[in-house]
Amino acid sequence: MHGDAASTIRNILVVDDDPSVLELMGEVLRGEGCNPLLASNPMEALTLAESKECSLAFLDIELPGMNGIELTGRLKAKDPHLDVVIMTGYGTLENAVQAIKIGVADFIRKPFSIEDVFMCLRRHWERQAFRERIRQAEQRYADLVQHAPMMIFSLRKDFGLGFVNRACRTVLGFDPSEVVDRAGWLLERVVEEDRDQFAMHVRGVFEGLGDAGFLECRLRHREGHVLHCLMKTFVPAASAKLERLKQLEGIAVDITDRVLLEKALVQKEKLKTLGAVAAEVAHEIRNPLVAIGGFARRLHSRYPEASEAAIILDECRRLERILDRIRNYLSPVDISLGKHAVEEILHRCKELMGLELERKGMRCRLEVEPGLEPLSVDANALLQVFINLVRNAIHAMQKGDELVVRAYRSAQYVMIRFQNPCRKPVAIHPDALFLPFDEGGQTIGLPLSYRLIRSMGGVLNFSWEEPYAVFTVSLPRFQEREAESYDSRLTPAEATKRP
């Protein structure tokens, strides 16, 4: 009669001390394709309910030893989803109120007809179908939230999370069970330089002094590397009318790849601008420099005791060396791209630099995410970059320090992070580290490294994360086209430095 709905209900419990009622209900339920579980007293009913699962029970309100209301409480304590129909020949308002409080689903008045029973069954099927639709909707919502490629969370005023989805594991490396209900956890993951801004934004929303909205900040992954994230906070609809907010809802999207792409474009334009400006500067300076140098040499030969001429000569030679570096930096030579495993190149670098590290009493720890795919790179050039970055770290470290090299991937890039202790913060702007004007030999490889990585479509960045200096090489996982010829050329002088 009721199709698939009825087929989902196997057992229906009927409890009445009147045998004729049990017999009638048994026939009606069997005719509906159900399996009636008939009991003449509450203890028998409890025994049947323990042994067999049922979703509907018809209970007489007047039973020996325990009335129907009390029996309902006992049955629903075992199965809160059980639908109970009270059968009664009389009733009081008190009984009705008590029955509703404990969750009675329906009433049927004695003497009842078969149609009354059918009516109760139909309402039960409808409730079952409605519950199933709710369950499926909740499941779809839960699946959507849990499988969304972004962190979805509930944030409390103490910066703890009341909820976070599974993306927490892929974005920050933490299982949700590790972080939920830990006071201050999200604020701890925000990079120190961004904490004040983040805390001010969240507190402002909680205290009604600011609006929820978008905020860009950096979060630290469990493994130590930094992610650029775009956060959106909003007030839950249910809390909008409350005087005091208990929690904010929010999402966090990893935009590291977008930031790296923007930096790659900026670096590309910087290289082009540097090339144009440096070539013009070198050309304009060299002619007067040659004249000044020649004049200083004649003065020095005529007046050898004059220290001023010697000083001018020394400065001219220094400027000539800078111009030579600029000329070499801009003179092109092709590099060769091919598919190579970054892990193998890193191990080769560690092997080559191991003796120097050991001699200085330093250590190098290499951590590579399993399964990194081969990248389109020049293996020799990339090895030269890694060696230059390790040498730069050795110069900054002291005996007993450890250099940590970690390779991992995002959706679009493979990142290789070189992190070393550094007692003194870098005094110059990070971008200046990659310019070809430095006189001190220790960083002479950084401009070369910068340009090599750019030639392979990647990005080389520096950041100061007290007390660590961090260089990060970001290489594209998917090479759509060969790098432009200007960006993929090196000088003959640089080429001879390759291992």
Side-chain angles (χ1 to χ4, degrees), residues 309-320:
I311 293 173
I312 294 173
L313 277 175
D314 288 342
E315 290 302 308
C316 285
R317 293 189 191 102
R318 187 176 71 85
L319 288 172
E320 286 175 355

Side-chain angles (χ1 to χ4, degrees), residues 187-200 215-220 224 226-228 417 425 430 462-470:
L187 188 61
E188 291 172 4
R189 302 319 303 171
V190 177
V191 172
E192 188 172 353
E193 292 86 345
D194 296 348
R195 278 182 196 164
D196 289 344
Q197 180 189 11
F198 178 75
M200 187 180 303
L215 177 69
E216 191 169 330
C217 64
R218 292 167 295 170
L219 301 179
R220 193 172 299 283
V226 174
L227 304 172
H228 294 264
R417 174 185 166 96
F462 170 80
S463 62
W464 170 251
E465 300 175 11
E466 190 174 0
Y468 299 104
V470 180

Side-chain angles (χ1 to χ4, degrees), residues 148-162:
M150 64 188 75
M151 273 180 56
I152 301 175
F153 57 87
S154 295
L155 179 62
R156 301 194 307 249
K157 198 171 183 178
D158 64 357
F159 296 97
L161 299 182

Side-chain angles (χ1 to χ4, degrees), residues 4-290:
D4 293 338
S7 66
T8 62
I9 305 300
R10 293 286 189 268
N11 302 319
I12 294 181
L13 180 64
V14 182
V15 187
D16 200 304
D17 57 354
D18 185 343
S20 63
V21 172
L22 292 179
E23 184 179 353
L24 173 63
M25 291 294 295
E27 291 179 3
V28 172
L29 295 174
R30 277 189 286 270
E32 288 294 294
C34 302
N35 179 36
L37 305 176
L38 307 178
S40 59
N41 61 72
M43 298 312 297
E44 185 181 355
L46 291 171
T47 301
L48 285 172
E50 285 289 337
S51 61
K52 296 184 179 180
E53 184 177 349
C54 53
S55 63
L56 177 61
F58 289 86
L59 308 181
D60 187 17
I61 198 167
E62 289 295 327
L63 293 168
M66 183 187 306
N67 66 32
I69 303 298
E70 294 174 312
L71 180 56
T72 297
R74 294 279 294 273
L75 292 172
K76 288 186 75 68
K78 174 184 176 294
D79 182 4
H81 300 293
L82 176 69
D83 272 358
V84 174
V85 179
I86 292 293
M87 302 183 293
T88 178
Y90 61 92
T92 65
L93 179 60
E94 182 182 352
N95 283 342
V97 171
Q98 192 175 0
I100 292 172
K101 284 182 178 180
I102 63 174
V104 169
D106 212 339
F107 290 87
I108 186 170
R109 194 172 185 84
K110 292 182 178 180
F112 53 79
S113 66
I114 294 177
E115 185 57 37
D116 292 333
V117 178
F118 288 159
M119 183 71 72
C120 288
L121 288 175
R122 279 195 293 270
R123 288 197 286 258
H124 173 64
W125 307 143
E126 290 170 0
R127 286 191 296 271
Q128 288 290 98
F130 182 66
R131 289 192 192 111
E132 179 61 20
R133 287 196 296 272
I134 291 175
R135 188 197 65 79
Q136 290 177 0
E138 290 176 342
Q139 187 62 49
R140 283 194 296 269
Y141 172 76
D143 290 343
L144 179 64
V145 168
Q146 291 295 348
H147 293 92
M150 64 188 75
M151 273 180 56
I152 301 175
F153 57 87
S154 295
L155 179 62
R156 301 194 307 249
K157 198 171 183 178
D158 64 357
F159 296 97
L161 299 182
F163 165 81
V164 65
N165 67 341
R166 295 175 193 164
C168 184
R169 188 182 302 117
T170 55
V171 175
L172 293 176
F174 291 89
D175 191 89
S177 61
E178 297 179 85
V179 304
V180 169
D181 292 331
R182 281 179 54 185
W185 182 82
L186 187 58
L187 188 61
E188 291 172 4
R189 302 319 303 171
V190 177
V191 172
E192 188 172 353
E193 292 86 345
D194 296 348
R195 278 182 196 164
D196 289 344
Q197 180 189 11
F198 178 75
M200 187 180 303
H201 170 81
V202 172
R203 290 186 181 121
V205 176
F206 271 111
E207 295 170 7
L209 302 177
D211 296 326
F214 289 98
L215 177 69
E216 191 169 330
C217 64
R218 292 167 295 170
L219 301 179
R220 193 172 299 283
H221 191 275
R222 183 176 203 154
E223 298 297 331
H225 55 268
V226 174
L227 304 172
H228 294 264
C229 289
L230 182 64
M231 288 194 181
K232 162 71 173 170
T233 57
F234 53 92
V235 177
S239 303
K241 296 182 181 180
L242 298 179
E243 291 186 6
R244 287 187 174 274
L245 288 176
K246 293 185 177 180
Q247 63 182 23
L248 290 175
E249 305 295 339
I251 61 173
V253 182
D254 183 359
I255 59 169
T256 304
D257 287 338
R258 191 198 77 183
V259 172
L260 288 174
L261 179 59
E262 290 173 352
K263 287 183 177 180
L265 294 174
V266 169
Q267 286 189 0
K268 180 179 177 181
E269 293 305 313
K270 282 182 178 179
L271 279 175
K272 288 183 177 179
T273 303
L274 174 64
V277 172
E280 182 68 20
V281 169
H283 175 73
E284 293 297 329
I285 289 179
R286 187 170 293 278
N287 289 336
L289 183 62
V290 169

Side-chain angles (χ1 to χ4, degrees), residues 427-447:
I428 63 175
H429 190 279
D431 287 347
L433 290 170
F434 305 120
L435 296 178
F437 308 124
D438 183 70
E439 280 286 313
Q442 71 271 15
T443 60
I444 195 67
L446 292 179

